[in-house]
Amino acid sequence: MQAYERKATSCSIRIRWISVQCYEIVLPNGKVIVTDPFYWDISHFDGMTELTKEQSMEKTVYAQEGFSVDRFTGADYIILNHIHGDHSNLAGELWNRFYGRVLVPAAGAEEVAKVYDIPYAAVYPLYPGNTYYFDDFTLKTYPGAHDNRAFREGRFMRPSDARNGYAGSEGFSIPCPNRTGPLGSMFNMNFMIETLNNFKIDFSAGRDYEEHVTHMMRERPNIMLRHRIRSYTPKEYASQIERMGVQLALPLHHNNARATEEDLNLYFSQVNQVLKSHGSAARAFNPEPYKWYTIQLSIIADDEME
């Protein structure tokens, strides 16, 4: 008679964080989703002795090392929350390597195709409030809104300002002129990925959390990939996790903490302390760049855990 099994594991996804809002997600069937494809290597600043204010910010907040576009394992689907350069500068290179589908808010779809020279037929325009049934997952889309930090800090430019026509679009080696700056500020889209095994991954960025959580309270996703806005206290971020009803939360755009040298490992430890004090089983997790993690559901005999 065959012995009882001691444990069994069902893999939900494999995931790793690259930079800003760029996650590489491997589905159980091996297909790969890349969100907001971005990476900016610190070597771009080699030999530069004087930096502009913008370049100094890019080096402090965005520049990394130890990765390259050649290290992606795939990009069957590229999903953009919005089309700013720090969310899209690898879109063309990834498409030329893997020939996947580029899913982008409809208002920025043509600009993405032109800027990165991606064939129009490979770009799939998305509209909020829809459900898209792809072969490898289901995608539900929701309205989004860009973070309004500039307004909170008293900084903004009107469309009539001559500087605003292409402001924010000239960095990260993106061909100019382009309209990724203004279009990225206006058109943002949140979404939820549901795998063929009914595992739900929510992706929400920017300032519209109050609206978005209303949608997610019905969906009850397993994972929350959520913008870690600088002004959020650990208590506020923990509250979002609890209201979403997720089991795990991983941050988006948390590279901004480098501007103030904030210790994010300490921050997420404090988030988890709040969750524990509330009796919540949910946990926040700060991923190490480029490191693969497996998220799975397991059943293990107690004595195997000892």
PDB file of all heavy atoms in Angstrom, residues 119-151:
ATOM      1  N   PRO A 119       5.403  47.541 -33.391  1.00  0.00           N
ATOM      2  CA  PRO A 119       4.316  47.454 -34.377  1.00  0.00           C
ATOM      3  C   PRO A 119       2.954  47.706 -33.734  1.00  0.00           C
ATOM      4  O   PRO A 119       2.664  47.212 -32.645  1.00  0.00           O
ATOM      5  CB  PRO A 119       4.428  46.013 -34.897  1.00  0.00           C
ATOM      6  CG  PRO A 119       5.867  45.665 -34.697  1.00  0.00           C
ATOM      7  CD  PRO A 119       6.283  46.357 -33.427  1.00  0.00           C
ATOM      8  N   TYR A 120       2.136  48.478 -34.429  1.00  0.00           N
ATOM      9  CA  TYR A 120       0.830  48.826 -33.876  1.00  0.00           C
ATOM     10  C   TYR A 120       0.020  47.587 -33.494  1.00  0.00           C
ATOM     11  O   TYR A 120      -0.696  47.581 -32.480  1.00  0.00           O
ATOM     12  CB  TYR A 120       0.036  49.670 -34.876  1.00  0.00           C
ATOM     13  CG  TYR A 120       0.577  51.069 -35.072  1.00  0.00           C
ATOM     14  CD1 TYR A 120       1.012  51.507 -36.322  1.00  0.00           C
ATOM     15  CD2 TYR A 120       0.641  51.959 -34.008  1.00  0.00           C
ATOM     16  CE1 TYR A 120       1.495  52.796 -36.497  1.00  0.00           C
ATOM     17  CE2 TYR A 120       1.124  53.249 -34.172  1.00  0.00           C
ATOM     18  CZ  TYR A 120       1.551  53.665 -35.420  1.00  0.00           C
ATOM     19  OH  TYR A 120       2.031  54.943 -35.592  1.00  0.00           O
ATOM     20  N   ALA A 121       0.118  46.547 -34.285  1.00  0.00           N
ATOM     21  CA  ALA A 121      -0.686  45.357 -34.030  1.00  0.00           C
ATOM     22  C   ALA A 121      -0.283  44.629 -32.755  1.00  0.00           C
ATOM     23  O   ALA A 121      -1.040  43.800 -32.251  1.00  0.00           O
ATOM     24  CB  ALA A 121      -0.603  44.397 -35.220  1.00  0.00           C
ATOM     25  N   ALA A 122       0.928  44.919 -32.237  1.00  0.00           N
ATOM     26  CA  ALA A 122       1.385  44.280 -31.001  1.00  0.00           C
ATOM     27  C   ALA A 122       0.925  45.039 -29.764  1.00  0.00           C
ATOM     28  O   ALA A 122       1.046  44.541 -28.648  1.00  0.00           O
ATOM     29  CB  ALA A 122       2.909  44.165 -30.995  1.00  0.00           C
ATOM     30  N   VAL A 123       0.404  46.262 -29.963  1.00  0.00           N
ATOM     31  CA  VAL A 123      -0.025  47.106 -28.849  1.00  0.00           C
ATOM     32  C   VAL A 123      -1.531  46.945 -28.653  1.00  0.00           C
ATOM     33  O   VAL A 123      -2.309  47.123 -29.583  1.00  0.00           O
ATOM     34  CB  VAL A 123       0.337  48.583 -29.110  1.00  0.00           C
ATOM     35  CG1 VAL A 123      -0.146  49.452 -27.960  1.00  0.00           C
ATOM     36  CG2 VAL A 123       1.843  48.724 -29.306  1.00  0.00           C
ATOM     37  N   TYR A 124      -1.911  46.607 -27.434  1.00  0.00           N
ATOM     38  CA  TYR A 124      -3.309  46.294 -27.115  1.00  0.00           C
ATOM     39  C   TYR A 124      -3.851  47.397 -26.215  1.00  0.00           C
ATOM     40  O   TYR A 124      -3.499  47.469 -25.037  1.00  0.00           O
ATOM     41  CB  TYR A 124      -3.361  44.940 -26.409  1.00  0.00           C
ATOM     42  CG  TYR A 124      -4.717  44.287 -26.329  1.00  0.00           C
ATOM     43  CD1 TYR A 124      -5.001  43.137 -27.057  1.00  0.00           C
ATOM     44  CD2 TYR A 124      -5.725  44.806 -25.509  1.00  0.00           C
ATOM     45  CE1 TYR A 124      -6.249  42.531 -26.969  1.00  0.00           C
ATOM     46  CE2 TYR A 124      -6.962  44.213 -25.426  1.00  0.00           C
ATOM     47  CZ  TYR A 124      -7.218  43.068 -26.159  1.00  0.00           C
ATOM     48  OH  TYR A 124      -8.451  42.465 -26.086  1.00  0.00           O
ATOM     49  N   PRO A 125      -4.722  48.279 -26.721  1.00  0.00           N
ATOM     50  CA  PRO A 125      -5.259  49.364 -25.900  1.00  0.00           C
ATOM     51  C   PRO A 125      -6.224  48.852 -24.835  1.00  0.00           C
ATOM     52  O   PRO A 125      -7.085  48.015 -25.117  1.00  0.00           O
ATOM     53  CB  PRO A 125      -5.989  50.260 -26.915  1.00  0.00           C
ATOM     54  CG  PRO A 125      -5.530  49.798 -28.261  1.00  0.00           C
ATOM     55  CD  PRO A 125      -5.186  48.353 -28.110  1.00  0.00           C
ATOM     56  N   LEU A 126      -6.075  49.359 -23.621  1.00  0.00           N
ATOM     57  CA  LEU A 126      -6.943  48.963 -22.517  1.00  0.00           C
ATOM     58  C   LEU A 126      -7.828  50.135 -22.090  1.00  0.00           C
ATOM     59  O   LEU A 126      -7.396  51.290 -22.095  1.00  0.00           O
ATOM     60  CB  LEU A 126      -6.105  48.517 -21.317  1.00  0.00           C
ATOM     61  CG  LEU A 126      -5.172  47.325 -21.500  1.00  0.00           C
ATOM     62  CD1 LEU A 126      -4.346  47.115 -20.230  1.00  0.00           C
ATOM     63  CD2 LEU A 126      -5.944  46.065 -21.851  1.00  0.00           C
ATOM     64  N   TYR A 127      -9.041  49.801 -21.689  1.00  0.00           N
ATOM     65  CA  TYR A 127      -9.993  50.800 -21.209  1.00  0.00           C
ATOM     66  C   TYR A 127     -10.440  50.399 -19.808  1.00  0.00           C
ATOM     67  O   TYR A 127     -10.676  49.216 -19.538  1.00  0.00           O
ATOM     68  CB  TYR A 127     -11.191  50.885 -22.147  1.00  0.00           C
ATOM     69  CG  TYR A 127     -10.836  51.327 -23.546  1.00  0.00           C
ATOM     70  CD1 TYR A 127     -10.415  50.392 -24.494  1.00  0.00           C
ATOM     71  CD2 TYR A 127     -10.897  52.665 -23.915  1.00  0.00           C
ATOM     72  CE1 TYR A 127     -10.073  50.790 -25.787  1.00  0.00           C
ATOM     73  CE2 TYR A 127     -10.561  53.072 -25.202  1.00  0.00           C
ATOM     74  CZ  TYR A 127     -10.145  52.129 -26.128  1.00  0.00           C
ATOM     75  OH  TYR A 127      -9.804  52.520 -27.396  1.00  0.00           O
ATOM     76  N   PRO A 128     -10.580  51.377 -18.897  1.00  0.00           N
ATOM     77  CA  PRO A 128     -10.991  51.023 -17.533  1.00  0.00           C
ATOM     78  C   PRO A 128     -12.405  50.465 -17.498  1.00  0.00           C
ATOM     79  O   PRO A 128     -13.262  50.824 -18.314  1.00  0.00           O
ATOM     80  CB  PRO A 128     -10.899  52.361 -16.785  1.00  0.00           C
ATOM     81  CG  PRO A 128     -11.005  53.410 -17.847  1.00  0.00           C
ATOM     82  CD  PRO A 128     -10.373  52.819 -19.068  1.00  0.00           C
ATOM     83  N   GLY A 129     -12.624  49.568 -16.547  1.00  0.00           N
ATOM     84  CA  GLY A 129     -13.948  48.990 -16.365  1.00  0.00           C
ATOM     85  C   GLY A 129     -14.234  47.781 -17.219  1.00  0.00           C
ATOM     86  O   GLY A 129     -15.376  47.325 -17.292  1.00  0.00           O
ATOM     87  N   ASN A 130     -13.193  47.230 -17.844  1.00  0.00           N
ATOM     88  CA  ASN A 130     -13.380  46.076 -18.721  1.00  0.00           C
ATOM     89  C   ASN A 130     -12.714  44.830 -18.153  1.00  0.00           C
ATOM     90  O   ASN A 130     -11.833  44.900 -17.291  1.00  0.00           O
ATOM     91  CB  ASN A 130     -12.804  46.350 -20.111  1.00  0.00           C
ATOM     92  CG  ASN A 130     -13.680  47.291 -20.920  1.00  0.00           C
ATOM     93  OD1 ASN A 130     -14.818  47.553 -20.551  1.00  0.00           O
ATOM     94  ND2 ASN A 130     -13.156  47.805 -22.017  1.00  0.00           N
ATOM     95  N   THR A 131     -13.119  43.688 -18.684  1.00  0.00           N
ATOM     96  CA  THR A 131     -12.482  42.412 -18.372  1.00  0.00           C
ATOM     97  C   THR A 131     -11.959  41.821 -19.671  1.00  0.00           C
ATOM     98  O   THR A 131     -12.700  41.719 -20.656  1.00  0.00           O
ATOM     99  CB  THR A 131     -13.486  41.433 -17.725  1.00  0.00           C
ATOM    100  OG1 THR A 131     -13.992  42.012 -16.518  1.00  0.00           O
ATOM    101  CG2 THR A 131     -12.806  40.106 -17.401  1.00  0.00           C
ATOM    102  N   TYR A 132     -10.679  41.453 -19.668  1.00  0.00           N
ATOM    103  CA  TYR A 132     -10.025  40.916 -20.862  1.00  0.00           C
ATOM    104  C   TYR A 132      -9.622  39.471 -20.587  1.00  0.00           C
ATOM    105  O   TYR A 132      -8.900  39.191 -19.614  1.00  0.00           O
ATOM    106  CB  TYR A 132      -8.792  41.755 -21.210  1.00  0.00           C
ATOM    107  CG  TYR A 132      -9.110  43.203 -21.522  1.00  0.00           C
ATOM    108  CD1 TYR A 132      -9.156  44.154 -20.500  1.00  0.00           C
ATOM    109  CD2 TYR A 132      -9.379  43.622 -22.819  1.00  0.00           C
ATOM    110  CE1 TYR A 132      -9.461  45.490 -20.776  1.00  0.00           C
ATOM    111  CE2 TYR A 132      -9.682  44.943 -23.107  1.00  0.00           C
ATOM    112  CZ  TYR A 132      -9.715  45.874 -22.084  1.00  0.00           C
ATOM    113  OH  TYR A 132     -10.020  47.183 -22.362  1.00  0.00           O
ATOM    114  N   TYR A 133     -10.071  38.567 -21.450  1.00  0.00           N
ATOM    115  CA  TYR A 133      -9.817  37.142 -21.262  1.00  0.00           C
ATOM    116  C   TYR A 133      -8.692  36.712 -22.213  1.00  0.00           C
ATOM    117  O   TYR A 133      -8.936  36.380 -23.373  1.00  0.00           O
ATOM    118  CB  TYR A 133     -11.090  36.333 -21.507  1.00  0.00           C
ATOM    119  CG  TYR A 133     -12.191  36.661 -20.529  1.00  0.00           C
ATOM    120  CD1 TYR A 133     -13.188  37.588 -20.855  1.00  0.00           C
ATOM    121  CD2 TYR A 133     -12.233  36.063 -19.270  1.00  0.00           C
ATOM    122  CE1 TYR A 133     -14.191  37.898 -19.957  1.00  0.00           C
ATOM    123  CE2 TYR A 133     -13.244  36.375 -18.360  1.00  0.00           C
ATOM    124  CZ  TYR A 133     -14.210  37.290 -18.717  1.00  0.00           C
ATOM    125  OH  TYR A 133     -15.215  37.606 -17.814  1.00  0.00           O
ATOM    126  N   PHE A 134      -7.463  36.737 -21.711  1.00  0.00           N
ATOM    127  CA  PHE A 134      -6.331  36.270 -22.496  1.00  0.00           C
ATOM    128  C   PHE A 134      -6.180  34.760 -22.296  1.00  0.00           C
ATOM    129  O   PHE A 134      -6.776  34.171 -21.397  1.00  0.00           O
ATOM    130  CB  PHE A 134      -5.061  37.015 -22.081  1.00  0.00           C
ATOM    131  CG  PHE A 134      -5.138  38.496 -22.333  1.00  0.00           C
ATOM    132  CD1 PHE A 134      -5.292  39.388 -21.286  1.00  0.00           C
ATOM    133  CD2 PHE A 134      -5.083  39.001 -23.630  1.00  0.00           C
ATOM    134  CE1 PHE A 134      -5.378  40.759 -21.507  1.00  0.00           C
ATOM    135  CE2 PHE A 134      -5.175  40.364 -23.870  1.00  0.00           C
ATOM    136  CZ  PHE A 134      -5.324  41.240 -22.811  1.00  0.00           C
ATOM    137  N   ASP A 135      -5.381  34.139 -23.131  1.00  0.00           N
ATOM    138  CA  ASP A 135      -5.218  32.689 -23.048  1.00  0.00           C
ATOM    139  C   ASP A 135      -4.646  32.255 -21.699  1.00  0.00           C
ATOM    140  O   ASP A 135      -4.964  31.153 -21.220  1.00  0.00           O
ATOM    141  CB  ASP A 135      -4.280  32.197 -24.158  1.00  0.00           C
ATOM    142  CG  ASP A 135      -4.906  32.302 -25.539  1.00  0.00           C
ATOM    143  OD1 ASP A 135      -6.151  32.404 -25.618  1.00  0.00           O
ATOM    144  OD2 ASP A 135      -4.150  32.287 -26.522  1.00  0.00           O
ATOM    145  N   ASP A 136      -3.826  33.098 -21.078  1.00  0.00           N
ATOM    146  CA  ASP A 136      -3.063  32.676 -19.905  1.00  0.00           C
ATOM    147  C   ASP A 136      -3.530  33.295 -18.597  1.00  0.00           C
ATOM    148  O   ASP A 136      -3.083  32.880 -17.528  1.00  0.00           O
ATOM    149  CB  ASP A 136      -1.586  33.014 -20.128  1.00  0.00           C
ATOM    150  CG  ASP A 136      -1.053  32.396 -21.405  1.00  0.00           C
ATOM    151  OD1 ASP A 136      -1.015  31.153 -21.465  1.00  0.00           O
ATOM    152  OD2 ASP A 136      -0.703  33.136 -22.345  1.00  0.00           O
ATOM    153  N   PHE A 137      -4.394  34.275 -18.645  1.00  0.00           N
ATOM    154  CA  PHE A 137      -4.920  34.910 -17.444  1.00  0.00           C
ATOM    155  C   PHE A 137      -6.076  35.822 -17.835  1.00  0.00           C
ATOM    156  O   PHE A 137      -6.278  36.132 -19.015  1.00  0.00           O
ATOM    157  CB  PHE A 137      -3.834  35.716 -16.706  1.00  0.00           C
ATOM    158  CG  PHE A 137      -3.303  36.882 -17.497  1.00  0.00           C
ATOM    159  CD1 PHE A 137      -3.796  38.167 -17.311  1.00  0.00           C
ATOM    160  CD2 PHE A 137      -2.291  36.702 -18.438  1.00  0.00           C
ATOM    161  CE1 PHE A 137      -3.311  39.240 -18.039  1.00  0.00           C
ATOM    162  CE2 PHE A 137      -1.797  37.767 -19.167  1.00  0.00           C
ATOM    163  CZ  PHE A 137      -2.315  39.044 -18.974  1.00  0.00           C
ATOM    164  N   THR A 138      -6.813  36.252 -16.832  1.00  0.00           N
ATOM    165  CA  THR A 138      -7.854  37.249 -17.012  1.00  0.00           C
ATOM    166  C   THR A 138      -7.369  38.568 -16.431  1.00  0.00           C
ATOM    167  O   THR A 138      -6.766  38.596 -15.352  1.00  0.00           O
ATOM    168  CB  THR A 138      -9.149  36.821 -16.308  1.00  0.00           C
ATOM    169  OG1 THR A 138      -9.618  35.601 -16.903  1.00  0.00           O
ATOM    170  CG2 THR A 138     -10.234  37.878 -16.432  1.00  0.00           C
ATOM    171  N   LEU A 139      -7.631  39.659 -17.135  1.00  0.00           N
ATOM    172  CA  LEU A 139      -7.222  40.989 -16.681  1.00  0.00           C
ATOM    173  C   LEU A 139      -8.452  41.860 -16.498  1.00  0.00           C
ATOM    174  O   LEU A 139      -9.250  42.022 -17.428  1.00  0.00           O
ATOM    175  CB  LEU A 139      -6.279  41.629 -17.704  1.00  0.00           C
ATOM    176  CG  LEU A 139      -5.689  42.989 -17.315  1.00  0.00           C
ATOM    177  CD1 LEU A 139      -4.631  42.812 -16.232  1.00  0.00           C
ATOM    178  CD2 LEU A 139      -5.101  43.694 -18.527  1.00  0.00           C
ATOM    179  N   LYS A 140      -8.607  42.396 -15.298  1.00  0.00           N
ATOM    180  CA  LYS A 140      -9.678  43.348 -15.029  1.00  0.00           C
ATOM    181  C   LYS A 140      -9.055  44.726 -14.829  1.00  0.00           C
ATOM    182  O   LYS A 140      -8.067  44.864 -14.092  1.00  0.00           O
ATOM    183  CB  LYS A 140     -10.484  42.939 -13.794  1.00  0.00           C
ATOM    184  CG  LYS A 140     -11.254  41.639 -13.980  1.00  0.00           C
ATOM    185  CD  LYS A 140     -12.153  41.324 -12.791  1.00  0.00           C
ATOM    186  CE  LYS A 140     -12.969  40.057 -13.030  1.00  0.00           C
ATOM    187  NZ  LYS A 140     -13.884  39.764 -11.906  1.00  0.00           N
ATOM    188  N   THR A 141      -9.617  45.742 -15.479  1.00  0.00           N
ATOM    189  CA  THR A 141      -9.021  47.073 -15.451  1.00  0.00           C
ATOM    190  C   THR A 141      -9.907  48.061 -14.691  1.00  0.00           C
ATOM    191  O   THR A 141     -11.136  47.958 -14.702  1.00  0.00           O
ATOM    192  CB  THR A 141      -8.800  47.592 -16.886  1.00  0.00           C
ATOM    193  OG1 THR A 141     -10.048  47.562 -17.593  1.00  0.00           O
ATOM    194  CG2 THR A 141      -7.785  46.728 -17.610  1.00  0.00           C
ATOM    195  N   TYR A 142      -9.245  49.025 -14.038  1.00  0.00           N
ATOM    196  CA  TYR A 142      -9.931  49.985 -13.181  1.00  0.00           C
ATOM    197  C   TYR A 142      -9.355  51.382 -13.391  1.00  0.00           C
ATOM    198  O   TYR A 142      -8.188  51.535 -13.766  1.00  0.00           O
ATOM    199  CB  TYR A 142      -9.763  49.580 -11.708  1.00  0.00           C
ATOM    200  CG  TYR A 142     -10.239  48.181 -11.413  1.00  0.00           C
ATOM    201  CD1 TYR A 142      -9.357  47.103 -11.469  1.00  0.00           C
ATOM    202  CD2 TYR A 142     -11.571  47.933 -11.100  1.00  0.00           C
ATOM    203  CE1 TYR A 142      -9.793  45.812 -11.220  1.00  0.00           C
ATOM    204  CE2 TYR A 142     -12.019  46.641 -10.841  1.00  0.00           C
ATOM    205  CZ  TYR A 142     -11.124  45.578 -10.907  1.00  0.00           C
ATOM    206  OH  TYR A 142     -11.559  44.304 -10.659  1.00  0.00           O
ATOM    207  N   PRO A 143     -10.145  52.424 -13.131  1.00  0.00           N
ATOM    208  CA  PRO A 143      -9.622  53.784 -13.257  1.00  0.00           C
ATOM    209  C   PRO A 143      -8.443  54.008 -12.316  1.00  0.00           C
ATOM    210  O   PRO A 143      -8.380  53.442 -11.218  1.00  0.00           O
ATOM    211  CB  PRO A 143     -10.808  54.665 -12.849  1.00  0.00           C
ATOM    212  CG  PRO A 143     -12.014  53.795 -12.995  1.00  0.00           C
ATOM    213  CD  PRO A 143     -11.550  52.402 -12.717  1.00  0.00           C
ATOM    214  N   GLY A 144      -7.505  54.825 -12.751  1.00  0.00           N
ATOM    215  CA  GLY A 144      -6.346  55.157 -11.935  1.00  0.00           C
ATOM    216  C   GLY A 144      -6.051  56.638 -12.025  1.00  0.00           C
ATOM    217  O   GLY A 144      -6.566  57.344 -12.900  1.00  0.00           O
ATOM    218  N   ALA A 145      -5.208  57.133 -11.116  1.00  0.00           N
ATOM    219  CA  ALA A 145      -4.820  58.542 -11.120  1.00  0.00           C
ATOM    220  C   ALA A 145      -3.388  58.655 -10.628  1.00  0.00           C
ATOM    221  O   ALA A 145      -3.009  58.038  -9.625  1.00  0.00           O
ATOM    222  CB  ALA A 145      -5.751  59.365 -10.234  1.00  0.00           C
ATOM    223  N   HIS A 146      -2.593  59.434 -11.327  1.00  0.00           N
ATOM    224  CA  HIS A 146      -1.186  59.601 -10.972  1.00  0.00           C
ATOM    225  C   HIS A 146      -1.052  60.266  -9.610  1.00  0.00           C
ATOM    226  O   HIS A 146      -1.906  61.060  -9.202  1.00  0.00           O
ATOM    227  CB  HIS A 146      -0.475  60.438 -12.038  1.00  0.00           C
ATOM    228  CG  HIS A 146       1.010  60.350 -11.982  1.00  0.00           C
ATOM    229  ND1 HIS A 146       1.779  61.246 -11.276  1.00  0.00           N
ATOM    230  CD2 HIS A 146       1.876  59.462 -12.533  1.00  0.00           C
ATOM    231  CE1 HIS A 146       3.059  60.929 -11.408  1.00  0.00           C
ATOM    232  NE2 HIS A 146       3.141  59.837 -12.158  1.00  0.00           N
ATOM    233  N   ASP A 147       0.021  59.957  -8.903  1.00  0.00           N
ATOM    234  CA  ASP A 147       0.300  60.597  -7.623  1.00  0.00           C
ATOM    235  C   ASP A 147       0.369  62.113  -7.815  1.00  0.00           C
ATOM    236  O   ASP A 147       0.905  62.603  -8.812  1.00  0.00           O
ATOM    237  CB  ASP A 147       1.626  60.076  -7.057  1.00  0.00           C
ATOM    238  CG  ASP A 147       1.972  60.725  -5.732  1.00  0.00           C
ATOM    239  OD1 ASP A 147       1.045  61.042  -4.970  1.00  0.00           O
ATOM    240  OD2 ASP A 147       3.175  60.932  -5.478  1.00  0.00           O
ATOM    241  N   ASN A 148      -0.164  62.869  -6.866  1.00  0.00           N
ATOM    242  CA  ASN A 148      -0.204  64.327  -6.994  1.00  0.00           C
ATOM    243  C   ASN A 148       0.796  65.006  -6.065  1.00  0.00           C
ATOM    244  O   ASN A 148       0.517  66.047  -5.475  1.00  0.00           O
ATOM    245  CB  ASN A 148      -1.620  64.845  -6.723  1.00  0.00           C
ATOM    246  CG  ASN A 148      -2.084  64.571  -5.295  1.00  0.00           C
ATOM    247  OD1 ASN A 148      -1.455  63.807  -4.562  1.00  0.00           O
ATOM    248  ND2 ASN A 148      -3.181  65.188  -4.900  1.00  0.00           N
ATOM    249  N   ARG A 149       1.979  64.401  -5.926  1.00  0.00           N
ATOM    250  CA  ARG A 149       2.980  64.960  -5.015  1.00  0.00           C
ATOM    251  C   ARG A 149       3.313  66.415  -5.359  1.00  0.00           C
ATOM    252  O   ARG A 149       3.507  67.245  -4.474  1.00  0.00           O
ATOM    253  CB  ARG A 149       4.260  64.121  -5.024  1.00  0.00           C
ATOM    254  CG  ARG A 149       5.243  64.550  -3.938  1.00  0.00           C
ATOM    255  CD  ARG A 149       6.468  63.652  -3.878  1.00  0.00           C
ATOM    256  NE  ARG A 149       7.413  63.964  -4.927  1.00  0.00           N
ATOM    257  CZ  ARG A 149       7.741  63.147  -5.930  1.00  0.00           C
ATOM    258  NH1 ARG A 149       7.178  61.959  -6.006  1.00  0.00           N
ATOM    259  NH2 ARG A 149       8.623  63.498  -6.840  1.00  0.00           N
ATOM    260  N   ALA A 150       3.394  66.715  -6.675  1.00  0.00           N
ATOM    261  CA  ALA A 150       3.708  68.085  -7.073  1.00  0.00           C
ATOM    262  C   ALA A 150       2.678  69.071  -6.515  1.00  0.00           C
ATOM    263  O   ALA A 150       3.031  70.165  -6.049  1.00  0.00           O
ATOM    264  CB  ALA A 150       3.776  68.192  -8.592  1.00  0.00           C
ATOM    265  N   PHE A 151       1.405  68.681  -6.556  1.00  0.00           N
ATOM    266  CA  PHE A 151       0.376  69.543  -6.000  1.00  0.00           C
ATOM    267  C   PHE A 151       0.519  69.644  -4.486  1.00  0.00           C
ATOM    268  O   PHE A 151       0.374  70.717  -3.898  1.00  0.00           O
ATOM    269  CB  PHE A 151      -1.015  69.007  -6.357  1.00  0.00           C
ATOM    270  CG  PHE A 151      -1.455  69.342  -7.755  1.00  0.00           C
ATOM    271  CD1 PHE A 151      -0.903  68.675  -8.844  1.00  0.00           C
ATOM    272  CD2 PHE A 151      -2.394  70.314  -7.974  1.00  0.00           C
ATOM    273  CE1 PHE A 151      -1.297  68.980 -10.138  1.00  0.00           C
ATOM    274  CE2 PHE A 151      -2.800  70.626  -9.263  1.00  0.00           C
ATOM    275  CZ  PHE A 151      -2.249  69.959 -10.353  1.00  0.00           C
TER     276      PHE A 151
END
